[in-house]
Amino acid sequence: MNGIIMYQSKYGSTKKYAEWLSEKTGFDLIKTKAVRLSMLDKYDVIILGGGVYASGVLGLSFFKKNISQLKGKKLAVFCVGASPYDEKAIAQARELHFKDEMKDVPLFYCRVAWDEDKMSFGDKTLCKMLQKAVAKQDPATYEPWQSALMCAVGEKHDWIDIKYLEPLLEYINK
């Protein structure tokens, strides 16, 4: 099996998962922004990894734009985020981003590290706005991502764990 892992990482978590995946599979590793469609001809398996930001997945636009040219290849996407795994959130992401030709591309999820000191001004501002909005709700009604957001306020967390790659590795080896 000949594969490649394309990734787009903002704060390093996606890169770490992509590196682990490359070590486990022997697949080539490349930043999504450096990929040209013609480079992918020689690969049987193409994996895309990207962070979740404002309900979008970094780098997913490459797959969407080129999905018809990638037919016949084994494709998968893994996204990374601060929330704990939540099947409902994954289903919503699939419904929003995996339509038409993308509908059969599997989506996997991995949890990231959280460090507000390393965030860009824009990301930090967005998080603070979200935290203020969520704080107005009854904690008993929080969605999993809201609970995670409120627990992370002003703290550093490292939820990165290679175990999150196990379902993706199983899929690759089928």
Side-chain angles (χ1 to χ4, degrees):
M1 205 173 5
N2 187 18
I4 188 168
I5 301 150
M6 307 168 10
Y7 72 94
Q8 192 164 337
S9 189
K10 202 168 185 182
Y11 297 111
S13 297
T14 307
K15 181 180 180 185
K16 181 67 179 167
Y17 283 114
E19 289 170 345
W20 278 339
L21 198 54
S22 179
E23 289 169 14
K24 293 278 187 192
T25 60
F27 290 176
D28 292 340
L29 185 63
I30 188 168
K31 290 181 179 178
T32 305
K33 290 182 178 183
V35 174
R36 300 295 166 255
L37 189 57
S38 61
M39 297 166 63
L40 302 178
D41 290 343
K42 66 181 181 179
Y43 296 104
D44 305 313
V45 180
I46 303 170
I47 310 296
L48 171 72
V52 176
Y53 293 95
S55 77
V57 178
L58 291 180
L60 189 60
S61 59
F62 179 90
F63 258 28
K64 286 181 174 182
K65 178 180 166 189
N66 298 299
I67 192 71
S68 59
Q69 289 90 347
L70 300 175
K71 281 198 184 300
K73 299 190 182 281
K74 189 173 204 170
L75 305 174
V77 173
F78 72 91
C79 60
V80 303
S83 298
Y85 181 84
D86 178 31
E87 191 61 47
K88 183 177 153 191
I90 297 296
Q92 288 173 336
R94 286 203 59 75
E95 190 177 308
L96 186 62
H97 300 292
F98 290 73
K99 298 175 183 173
D100 304 319
E101 292 179 286
M102 290 285 294
K103 73 180 182 327
D104 294 324
V105 176
L107 175 63
F108 300 89
Y109 183 80
C110 305
R111 204 158 180 206
V112 300
W114 176 275
D115 185 349
E116 292 174 17
D117 293 339
K118 292 183 180 178
M119 288 183 187
S120 69
F121 176 77
D123 287 344
K124 199 180 298 189
T125 302
L126 179 60
C127 287
K128 296 239 182 273
M129 287 172 36
L130 278 171
Q131 289 164 345
K132 284 182 181 179
V134 171
K136 294 176 184 175
Q137 297 178 8
D138 176 359
T141 66
Y142 286 174
E143 301 260 345
W145 71 268
Q146 292 171 318
S147 294
L149 179 69
M150 297 311 288
C151 288
V153 175
E155 297 194 16
K156 294 180 184 183
H157 296 277
D158 187 351
W159 297 299
I160 297 173
D161 192 328
I162 199 167
K163 74 177 181 190
Y164 288 113
L165 292 176
E166 290 171 5
L168 176 52
L169 288 164
E170 286 176 25
Y171 169 76
I172 291 168
N173 292 316
K174 278 200 267 183

